[in-house]
């Protein structure tokens, strides 16, 4: 039988090559790579969720709901595009906030303080602007609609779920 540590060590070059390929894809094809990553992560997350639901509910092993996983992959593809776009916008907005604050008063932003201020600005913008909008218009309604919900059900679903996500 193979030695597990030897098997893991022999996989390192392959992992290194995969990491290099992914880094290349991110730098060369940023948005498609981010979208594919979002789709894969949402799909894998759904597979794990379905398996854990079966275990938690002590259900007999049922067939995997492939349609549900496809819906989550689609949600992840679109969500990654939305968030990728948002972070570019947030970076511009945070830069503007730092610039405006540097003009206010007689103080100069050190690079360290500017980095902290940009980070706090991005967190605030995300929490109070992006999250409510994206969750209400994408993350909550899209999976429901792809799962067969009627559009008239969406407002109640958003009202029910949105507060716990913020």
């Amino acid at each position: 039988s193979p030695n597990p540590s030897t098997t893991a060590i022999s996989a390192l070059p392959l992992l290194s090559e995969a990491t290099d390929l992914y880094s290349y894809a991110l730098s060369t094809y940023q948005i498609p790579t981010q979208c594919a990553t979002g789709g894969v992560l949402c799909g894998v997350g759904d597979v794990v969720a379905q398996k854990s639901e079966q275990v938690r509910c002590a259900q007999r092993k049922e067939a995997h709901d492939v349609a549900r996983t496809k819906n989550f992959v689609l949600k992840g593809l679109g969500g990654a595009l939305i968030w990728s776009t948002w972070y570019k916008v947030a970076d511009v907005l945070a830069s503007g906030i730092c610039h405006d604050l540097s003009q206010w008063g007689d103080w100069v932003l050190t690079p360290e303080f500017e980095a902290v201020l940009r980070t706090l600005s991005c967190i605030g913008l995300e929490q109070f602007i992006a999250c409510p909008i994206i969750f209400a218009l994408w993350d909550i309604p899209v999976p429901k609609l792809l799962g067969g919900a009627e559009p008239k059900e969406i407002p109640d679903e958003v009202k029910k779920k949105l507060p716990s996500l913020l």
Side-chain angles (χ1 to χ4, degrees):
S1 118
N3 181 344
S5 63
T6 306
T7 305
I9 289 171
S10 66
L12 287 178
L14 182 61
L15 182 61
S16 177
E17 190 174 323
T19 303
D20 291 344
L21 181 62
Y22 186 74
S23 293
Y24 171 77
L26 268 176
S27 64
T28 309
Y29 307 103
Q30 181 183 13
I31 292 187
T33 303
Q34 289 174 335
C35 289
T37 302
V40 167
L41 290 175
C42 281
V44 168
D46 181 61
V47 169
V48 170
Q50 286 188 48
K51 296 300 176 197
S52 64
E53 286 170 10
Q54 287 178 353
V55 169
R56 189 182 69 240
C57 298
Q59 296 175 340
R60 63 180 173 78
K61 187 169 179 162
E62 294 182 20
H64 180 79
D65 186 349
V66 176
R68 177 178 136 171
T69 300
K70 285 181 185 176
N71 290 342
F72 274 95
V73 168
L74 288 173
K75 178 205 170 266
L77 289 168
L81 179 61
I82 291 167
W83 283 107
S84 175
T85 303
W86 163 253
Y87 287 122
K88 289 178 177 136
V89 169
D91 200 35
V92 170
L93 293 173
S95 178
I97 290 169
C98 288
H99 178 267
D100 291 349
L101 286 175
S102 71
Q103 304 300 312
W104 185 49
D106 290 332
W107 52 285
V108 176
L109 287 179
T110 64
E112 295 80 11
F113 183 66
E114 183 175 358
V116 169
L117 186 57
R118 283 175 69 97
T119 300
L120 292 174
S121 298
C122 284
I123 290 170
L125 290 166
E126 181 178 314
Q127 186 65 32
F128 298 109
I129 295 174
C131 285
I133 293 170
I134 295 170
F135 290 171
L137 298 178
W138 183 264
D139 282 346
I140 298 171
V142 168
K144 293 297 286 185
L145 291 169
L146 289 172
E150 293 290 323
K152 65 183 178 184
E153 299 172 40
I154 300 305
D156 288 337
E157 191 71 17
V158 169
K159 286 177 191 171
K160 181 176 84 176
K161 289 186 174 180
L162 188 60
S164 67
L165 295 174
L166 300 177

